Amino acid sequence: MAETTPTKTRIPGKDLPLEETLTFMQEQLQKKGFQVEAVSWLNPLPQVWSVHVQDKDCPQLFTNGKGRSADAALASALGEFFERLSCNYFWADFWLGPEIAAGEFVHYPQERWFEVTPEGLPAGLLDAHCLEIYQQNQQLEAANLVDINSGSPQRGICALPFVRQADQQTCYFPVNLIGNLYVSNGMAAGNNCWEARVQALSEIFERAVKNHLLSEGLCPPRIPDSVLQQYPAVVEGLQALEAAGFQVQARDASMGGRFPVINITLLNPEDGGCFASFGAHPLFEVALERTLTELVQGRALDELDVFPAPTMNLDEVAEPHNLETHFIDSSGLVGWPLIGDQPDYEFVHWNFPGTSREQFDWLIEQLHQEGHQVYLADYDHLGVAACRILVPGFSEIYPLDDLTWDNNNQGLELRDALLELPELDRPQQAELLDLLVDSGFNDQQPVAALIGLAPGGSSFWKELRVGELKAMLCLALGELESALDLINGLLLFGHLHQERQKHYRCLACLLELQLARAQPSDFMTSLEAYFGQQEIHQCLELLEGKKTFHGFTPAPGLSGLQAHERLLEAYRKVQHAKTAIH
């Protein structure tokens, strides 16, 4: 329970008063050139707040926070903002451009680069424990580990140092492996390094235990009312949910006192929906409160009617995509066993007090007892303690296969050609089309994301999909039947804004006439009624090869893409901080 004096609020699990934390983080953000503001608040339950914050200069930098009060929620959001700045997570899916990619360092001054060779992984990358996990059947290839941010196979594989906690030895992890498999799991910021580490490990336990309970179809025990009554703020929130018509179940997800995890599941009698929230911390009270605030973070009470009903199809619950959905917004399928009446283990009213350092040591020991190795990187270049923790074989969010089949670097070969598409000659266009066809990319896949661009307000880059790009290339190369098939698929997908949809409808009509050896001039009155003279003229120029790539916005060196340029400007601020402290 938070203790408040006239000027100080102390929250369990935090090593400084809330007011000091807020003031310090806000000062550090301003010093580093970030103007972070709250843009929306929610207070759906008594003593449950959530907030959405973003940077004024670069709105793509945003986070959410939750807590028992508005200040606690704001501190949570700013802490998440710092962790994502410190760990470069805001830029994890974006190309950093030629200047940064060729700089002295791309990610951190202490990074190391390894040569990409076809003979296997270079020596010095990962350790024996990690290779045993990641090199099953020799799945991991060097080319899969070039990061999208530098996007430079010529420079090689960028890897970052992490300290193995069992013996304090350094191990180098490829940036691209971290970005593809771990995403944001295991990142945290805090009042000091120990507090940040406890938060990072707590989140790792939360997500791993959640996945285990869901995928194995286990039933955690209910928390007795006599125990819940010891936490009146949480009880007040649960009662408010019940008063709104929901059924709520609070359960001990510690697997018999082994892991510091709580589960609260919300049942909606109106639509049969089921929503499972999880939270973790060595203090039972903090874990319970986090689980409740997570349940409604960013959601009003009238937005809790969008969740699927529980199922007995546990294969569907355990399916990787469903577990990924639970990681993203907790809206995935839940199995009936989670809300059953026959628990698979006894309730334990666990609690692991002590200093943040003592709690960190205890959490590490739990992982070591389970046979895991823990790898830690601390970051303090922004003035706030932050860290990233990796537990191979335990804390990954995405499966190892993603490095082969869904790697975020898979568009690297396309990037330079796409940024200057109209400048390509006919052989280059044919080569690009072959590369797109051979790659097996889904026709609905956004091209900007494929090559690491933030499209922002550019409607062309925002809407461009692989199928449309292939259609453009087919038109430029005179492959009209293929172009028509692709355009018809494009129109069925329905993502285009009105003007571009009209453009492709016109193209489809003219292509159909041309392939039937009919003259558009014989139908001009009706064509003009549908599309207008200007649109018909533009489309005929495309079909005649006089123009190519309608609406294309060139972006050599990323110039002209304002949203992406803002991202890079923000990145330069954190790069400067890294240089200054190094």
Side-chain angles (χ1 to χ4, degrees):
M1 183 180 299
E3 298 179 6
T4 305
T5 69
T7 56
K8 306 285 186 182
T9 304
R10 287 200 169 270
I11 297 175
K14 299 298 180 184
D15 292 337
L16 284 178
L18 177 59
E19 293 79 9
E20 291 183 22
T21 299
L22 271 177
T23 299
F24 182 71
M25 287 195 294
Q26 289 166 334
E27 287 176 350
Q28 293 302 114
L29 283 169
Q30 290 174 0
K31 285 180 181 178
K32 301 302 184 289
F34 294 97
Q35 304 296 320
V36 179
E37 59 180 355
V39 294
S40 65
W41 291 90
L42 281 173
N43 178 209
L45 300 173
Q47 301 190 60
V48 175
W49 287 78
S50 64
V51 63
H52 178 83
V53 303
Q54 67 184 34
D55 182 52
K56 281 185 178 181
D57 299 324
C58 183
Q60 297 102 309
L61 309 187
F62 64 86
T63 56
N64 301 298
K66 58 187 185 294
R68 189 180 296 184
S69 67
D71 278 352
L74 182 58
S76 169
L78 294 182
E80 187 172 284
F81 201 92
F82 266 107
E83 77 181 38
R84 296 182 176 216
L85 284 179
S86 299
C87 296
N88 294 345
Y89 184 71
F90 283 129
W91 301 273
D93 293 321
F94 299 107
W95 182 41
L96 296 174
E99 178 187 340
I100 294 173
E104 181 182 353
F105 65 93
V106 176
H107 298 275
Y108 297 95
Q110 60 269 39
E111 70 194 23
R112 279 183 60 188
W113 290 83
F114 297 82
E115 184 181 0
V116 176
T117 65
E119 285 76 33
L121 298 187
L125 202 59
L126 301 170
D127 62 13
H129 175 80
C130 295
L131 290 173
E132 186 177 351
I133 294 171
Y134 296 131
Q135 269 300 64
Q136 299 174 30
N137 303 318
Q138 299 296 306
Q139 284 180 276
L140 208 55
E141 297 180 3
N144 292 335
L145 299 177
V146 176
D147 65 283
I148 189 175
N149 318 110
S150 62
S152 177
Q154 297 77 20
R155 190 165 183 179
I157 299 167
C158 184
L160 303 178
F162 283 73
V163 176
R164 190 170 57 219
Q165 295 303 290
D167 56 10
Q168 300 302 298
Q169 294 300 303
T170 298
C171 175
Y172 281 86
F173 279 79
V175 169
N176 201 49
L177 183 145
I178 297 169
N180 275 283
L181 303 187
Y182 294 92
V183 284
S184 65
N185 198 25
M187 299 187 329
N191 289 303
N192 54 55
C193 70
W194 303 107
E195 187 182 296
R197 293 171 176 185
V198 168
Q199 172 66 15
L201 286 170
S202 296
E203 290 187 356
I204 286 172
F205 274 110
E206 170 196 323
R207 287 153 184 169
V209 170
K210 176 181 186 176
N211 285 357
H212 181 70
L213 290 172
L214 290 171
S215 59
E216 296 298 322
L218 298 178
C219 178
R222 299 280 290 266
I223 300 174
D225 287 342
S226 59
V227 174
L228 283 176
Q229 294 303 322
Q230 298 175 36
Y231 310 102
V234 172
V235 170
E236 188 178 4
L238 297 177
Q239 290 173 341
L241 280 170
E242 291 174 348
F246 302 103
Q247 295 294 315
V248 187
Q249 301 177 1
R251 296 176 180 259
D252 165 30
S254 71
M255 305 286 292
R258 293 160 56 202
F259 310 120
V261 185
I262 296 290
N263 158 242
I264 296 178
T265 302
L266 181 145
L267 312 179
N268 187 348
E270 289 295 316
D271 63 4
C274 182
F275 173 42
S277 174
F278 288 75
H281 190 272
L283 299 178
F284 188 95
E285 174 186 7
V286 175
L288 183 60
E289 180 184 309
R290 284 182 178 175
T291 311
L292 177 61
T293 54
E294 176 70 25
L295 186 73
V296 290
Q297 177 174 289
R299 296 182 175 100
L301 292 186
D302 60 2
E303 296 174 321
L304 295 174
D305 58 357
V306 295
F307 303 106
T311 179
M312 278 304 294
N313 187 340
L314 297 185
D315 288 338
E316 197 171 355
V317 174
E319 200 271 330
H321 178 72
N322 187 60
L323 297 179
E324 291 158 16
T325 302
H326 275 286
F327 169 74
I328 294 167
D329 63 7
S330 297
S331 65
L333 273 174
V334 171
W336 272 104
L338 188 76
I339 53 176
D341 294 331
Q342 302 299 321
D344 288 296
Y345 51 87
E346 296 296 322
F347 168 76
V348 177
H349 189 189
W350 50 267
N351 199 50
F352 307 100
T355 65
S356 293
R357 179 164 188 171
E358 290 169 341
Q359 290 174 341
F360 169 76
D361 290 339
W362 177 79
L363 291 168
I364 290 287
E365 181 59 27
Q366 306 314 302
L367 288 166
H368 284 164
Q369 286 180 7
E370 294 290 318
H372 299 294
Q373 291 290 348
V374 183
Y375 301 82
L376 167 69
D378 286 316
Y379 301 111
D380 61 0
H381 51 278
L382 297 176
V384 170
C387 70
R388 188 195 279 271
I389 296 177
L390 310 176
V391 188
F394 186 78
S395 68
E396 294 90 347
I397 297 300
Y398 293 98
L400 179 60
D401 284 352
D402 275 15
L403 287 172
T404 302
W405 305 112
D406 196 23
N407 198 310
N408 67 7
N409 73 3
Q410 59 190 335
L412 290 184
E413 290 183 85
L414 309 173
R415 188 193 61 226
D416 291 342
L418 289 178
L419 292 177
E420 301 185 31
L421 197 55
E423 307 303 319
L424 302 183
D425 58 27
R426 190 178 179 86
Q428 290 171 325
Q429 292 170 356
E431 182 181 353
L432 178 57
L433 179 58
D434 288 342
L435 189 58
L436 284 167
V437 172
D438 293 342
S439 69
F441 297 132
N442 190 299
D443 281 349
Q444 278 75 53
Q445 187 162 356
V447 172
L450 192 62
I451 61 174
L453 295 187
S458 168
S459 60
F460 176 85
W461 283 107
K462 187 180 292 184
E463 293 186 356
L464 183 64
R465 301 294 196 270
V466 167
E468 182 180 1
L469 177 59
K470 285 157 67 175
M472 287 179 166
L473 288 164
C474 285
L475 282 174
L477 293 166
E479 299 178 12
L480 302 187
E481 290 187 7
S482 296
L484 180 58
D485 288 342
L486 288 161
I487 289 170
N488 284 333
L490 192 67
L491 291 170
L492 282 174
F493 187 55
H495 71 284
L496 300 169
H497 73 264
Q498 189 173 359
E499 287 184 12
R500 281 165 66 77
Q501 191 169 31
K502 180 180 177 182
H503 168 74
Y504 281 109
R505 281 175 43 233
C506 182
L507 262 179
C509 284
L510 293 173
L511 273 169
E512 192 172 356
L513 290 171
Q514 186 165 333
L515 288 169
R517 302 188 184 281
Q519 294 298 319
S521 57
D522 293 340
F523 304 92
M524 196 55 68
T525 300
S526 296
L527 286 170
E528 288 180 358
Y530 276 124
F531 307 113
Q533 289 184 357
Q534 183 177 356
E535 188 65 62
I536 293 169
H537 177 70
Q538 288 178 340
C539 289
L540 286 173
E541 285 191 320
L542 281 171
L543 294 181
E544 294 165 4
K546 295 177 181 177
K547 287 189 177 180
T548 53
F549 310 114
H550 172 75
F552 180 81
T553 305
L558 297 176
S559 61
L561 288 177
Q562 294 183 355
H564 204 100
E565 288 176 341
R566 285 196 295 267
L567 269 176
L568 297 189
E569 187 56 39
Y571 192 69
R572 291 186 185 98
K573 296 175 185 177
V574 299
Q575 289 291 82
H576 177 73
K578 295 168 193 171
T579 303
I581 198 169
H582 187 69

